[in-house]
Amino acid sequence: MFDTMTSTKILGAVCGALLLFLFAKWGADALYTVGGGHGAHGEEHVAGYLIEVEESAEAEVEEEGPDFATIMASADVASGAKIFKKCSACHKVEKGANATGPYLHGVVGRAIDSAEGFGYSGALEQIGADWTPENLYAFLENPKKVAPGTSMSFSGLKKSSDRADVIAYLDSLDD
């Protein structure tokens, strides 16, 4: 069945395919490697052209937006109640009614990590001593960034007006 000629053809086909792949790799390196593939590793490469953009003071002012007091002054409690529905999956507003997260009745002005009967992760202590409107505002924007290691999986409220509305709603729940 297998004679010398068949074995020679199979060996020739394998060697030819290997040679073809080596030439293809060499050609691809020559075409697609910066510096032609000849010792280009470790050399510094410079961009083909540089676009310079002037910085202006106006652009910085636009990015900052209104200050915290202005945002809180325009907060809407009714809108905050609607936005709070996102939070209500894990938080309750009744005093002492912990769920996945601690209850939020009286949270504005309350000491951080102080909801009775809730086991905190300890990551919130780096925010401050109390849940001031400023601390809540920063935390609600991005909880994982403000308190790394927190067990709160919520990604945050990106709109500043939404955060202010929720804080106003939570503040309206106090006795």
Side-chain angles (χ1 to χ4, degrees):
M1 182 156 137
F2 281 110
D3 59 353
T4 308
M5 186 55 114
T6 305
S7 301
T8 304
K9 287 179 187 178
I10 292 172
L11 182 61
V14 170
C15 289
L18 180 62
L19 188 61
L20 181 67
F21 286 123
L22 288 174
F23 277 131
K25 181 190 178 317
W26 174 74
D29 281 347
L31 287 173
Y32 297 111
T33 303
V34 177
H38 302 290
H41 299 289
E43 296 176 8
E44 183 178 341
H45 301 287
V46 181
Y49 56 90
L50 178 66
I51 301 173
E52 294 186 24
V53 179
E54 293 182 28
E55 293 183 26
S56 67
E58 294 175 12
E60 292 177 15
V61 173
E62 290 179 25
E63 290 177 11
E64 289 180 11
D67 65 338
F68 179 73
T70 305
I71 293 170
M72 285 305 295
S74 64
D76 180 21
V77 175
S79 175
K82 290 177 187 174
I83 297 167
F84 183 77
K85 290 179 182 176
K86 295 178 184 179
C87 310
S88 65
C90 298
H91 295 280
K92 305 298 177 218
V93 292
E94 296 82 24
K95 187 170 186 172
N98 291 318
T100 304
Y103 70 90
L104 297 180
H105 182 270
V107 71
V108 180
R110 182 172 72 196
I112 292 177
D113 286 355
S114 66
E116 301 90 25
F118 187 78
Y120 289 94
S121 64
L124 296 176
E125 295 165 355
Q126 55 196 324
I127 295 173
D130 295 323
W131 280 122
T132 63
E134 293 85 1
N135 287 343
L136 280 168
Y137 184 82
F139 183 71
L140 289 174
E141 181 177 11
N142 189 343
K144 296 277 185 197
K145 181 180 176 187
V146 174
T150 183
S151 58
M152 185 166 159
S153 61
F154 185 63
S155 63
L157 298 170
K158 302 307 173 208
K159 292 175 63 177
S160 59
S161 60
D162 288 351
R163 293 190 300 273
D165 292 347
V166 168
I167 294 169
Y169 169 69
L170 292 173
D171 198 23
S172 72
L173 300 174
D174 291 357
D175 294 332

